Amino acid sequence: VFGAGGGTVGRLGLVLSGRHLSWVADGGADPSSGVRVTAQLLGPDGRVPAGLTAVADLGDASGAYGRPVPARIVHLVGGGGSQFYVKAALVGLRPATTYHYRLRLSDGTVTGDAHFTTAPARRPAGAGGPVPAPFTFTAFADVGTNAPPPHGTLRNGYAADDPVAGTGGTDPHP
């Protein structure tokens, strides 16, 4: 899947999988000027070699990337094992602009190109100050727990009257 998405495996056999985007605090978590990209880092032996570094390349077209943005490699240890992630904060972005990005590791691993569009600029409002212009953002995430049931079972935190996930909703196990 990594290769089919345009990724190239480096000399250590590492891949970056499951990229996610979210807002990043850049003067107030403004979705028109800052995005964080996160990807899971997978290796053949479940470990990440010491000294490995990561960057995010950001540009205005596929293959037309500017300077690399330093990324962090984060190690999370949970009840079911160990996971590694690469995280980069892409800040100082222009509103309503499409950006292309990829992630690179120092061993030569490179993801395929992906893109996102920042939210429109804020518009003036009355005495309440600026408000964001309308825009649409779709988000998804893996809310797993690294543990098998029963400890890995999530409780339904939705309101009882939620039409999908509530008590009488169409999905009793959201």
Side-chain angles (χ1 to χ4, degrees), residues 18-37:
R19 287 184 266 187
H20 296 269
L21 298 174
S22 60
W23 309 141
V24 62
D26 180 22
D30 183 350
S32 68
S33 64
V35 171
R36 180 177 308 282
V37 60

Side-chain angles (χ1 to χ4, degrees), residues 78-106:
S82 184
Q83 296 179 333
F84 296 90
Y85 294 89
V86 171
K87 296 178 175 261
L90 310 174
V91 297
L93 307 179
R94 295 181 308 274
T97 302
T98 297
Y99 289 92
H100 287 256
Y101 72 96
R102 67 181 181 184
L103 297 170
R104 264 187 310 121
L105 302 176
S106 57

Side-chain angles (χ1 to χ4, degrees), residues 42-70:
L42 304 168
D45 62 1
R47 295 180 304 186
V48 171
L52 185 74
T53 59
V55 296
D57 294 319
L58 182 69
D60 57 11
S62 179
Y65 306 108
R67 70 174 172 81
V69 176

Side-chain angles (χ1 to χ4, degrees), residues 122-169:
R122 292 178 179 260
R123 64 172 187 246
V131 297
F135 72 99
T136 301
F137 181 82
T138 303
F140 69 94
D142 173 3
V143 293
T145 63
N146 283 346
H151 302 293
T153 303
L154 298 175
R155 295 179 189 226
N156 183 348
Y158 293 91
D161 61 349
D162 186 291
V164 175
T167 306

